[in-house]
Amino acid sequence: MEKFAVPVTASEHVYKILKQWIMSGELAPGERIDQDAIAARLGLSKMPVRSALEKLTAQDLVVMHSHRGATVSRLTEEHLDNIYLVRCNLEGLAVQMATERLLPDDVTALNLMIQEQEALALHPKSDFERILVANREFHMYIYRLAQRSVLLEIIERLWEQSERYRRILLNEPGMVGGSINEHRRLVELMSQHRADEASQYLIEHNRKTQRVVLSVLQIKNTN
């Protein structure tokens, strides 16, 4: 059967571009978003830009002001704490449920993902975008095993909100390698069907990430 490309609306096109600019830091936290300039740059009217900004606002990536237009959401300690409070609880639950459903083929797939992460980390020219994607694919594979669609949907949204924080860690010495080692231990616990221990280990894995991000943020805020 012939496959047809799904048409992308102007607002969806702008949304993807703006989101990438925000995630990459091209639009920095706290920066004012010039809707006229963006519309001109993309060769579009302001309407799809406005629509895209409303969608980004719903994802806590943009703040809309009544008289000052829109700005990129700032990275704050309070927001970081709120995200990880919920992430730790929901992802811990997902790991527990996933462990109970884990099959040998899943263990094989997860170990292959870890090997891919190791190859990316050891490459002379580390591709941070690919490392982020590989990390996300690993975690989401596990959370999908829980077979709870609403739980997965909420976790995915929280990951979207926390991606800018995770990017802070990519240049921190030892973070990528340490994360890979922790992934290996998590799979080991899951493969032994130690659901409670695996759940707690995932929570500790997330909390470690939060602590390092917090320390970097505090340094940035004092400079």
Side-chain angles (χ1 to χ4, degrees), residues 15 18-19 22 52-62:
Y15 163 76
L18 288 180
K19 184 176 180 180
I22 291 171
L53 289 175
E54 289 174 352
K55 187 174 181 179
L56 291 165
T57 299
Q59 297 178 345
D60 293 333
L61 294 174
V62 167

Side-chain angles (χ1 to χ4, degrees), residues 1-162:
M1 181 180 293
E2 185 178 356
K3 294 183 178 180
F4 296 93
V6 177
V8 176
T9 65
S11 62
E12 289 173 336
H13 176 64
V14 177
Y15 163 76
K16 290 179 180 179
I17 291 174
L18 288 180
K19 184 176 180 180
Q20 178 57 38
W21 289 349
I22 291 171
M23 292 300 183
S24 67
E26 183 173 342
L27 286 172
E31 182 177 344
R32 179 179 174 274
I33 300 174
D34 189 331
Q35 298 182 48
D36 291 323
I38 289 172
R41 179 176 176 180
L42 300 179
L44 298 168
S45 68
K46 283 181 61 176
M47 187 175 295
V49 176
R50 178 78 180 185
S51 177
L53 289 175
E54 289 174 352
K55 187 174 181 179
L56 291 165
T57 299
Q59 297 178 345
D60 293 333
L61 294 174
V62 167
V63 178
M64 299 290 285
H65 307 277
S66 55
H67 301 294
R68 295 188 294 113
T71 58
V72 179
S73 298
R74 295 184 181 278
L75 300 179
T76 68
E77 297 175 20
E78 180 181 8
H79 188 231
L80 175 70
D81 187 58
N82 285 335
I83 289 174
Y84 274 88
L85 172 67
V86 183
R87 273 192 58 187
C88 284
N89 282 281
L90 295 188
E91 292 177 33
L93 174 61
V95 165
Q96 188 171 34
M97 298 175 72
T99 301
E100 295 167 355
R101 297 177 176 272
L102 191 72
L103 298 174
D105 286 348
D106 297 318
V107 176
T108 300
L110 289 169
N111 282 325
L112 287 173
M113 290 181 184
I114 292 173
Q115 291 177 21
E116 179 188 359
Q117 293 168 28
E118 290 174 327
L120 290 171
L122 292 173
H123 196 278
K125 295 182 179 179
S126 296
D127 187 334
F128 290 148
E129 292 299 327
R130 289 184 64 190
I131 289 173
L132 282 171
V133 169
N135 178 64
R136 178 168 182 147
E137 288 177 345
F138 171 83
H139 280 274
M140 293 306 156
Y141 185 100
I142 292 174
Y143 304 149
R144 280 194 295 272
L145 292 177
Q147 297 184 23
R148 297 286 182 169
S149 58
V150 174
L151 178 61
L152 178 63
E153 182 181 341
I154 296 171
I155 290 174
E156 287 179 329
R157 182 180 177 189
L158 290 167
W159 268 66
E160 290 286 342
Q161 293 184 30
S162 60

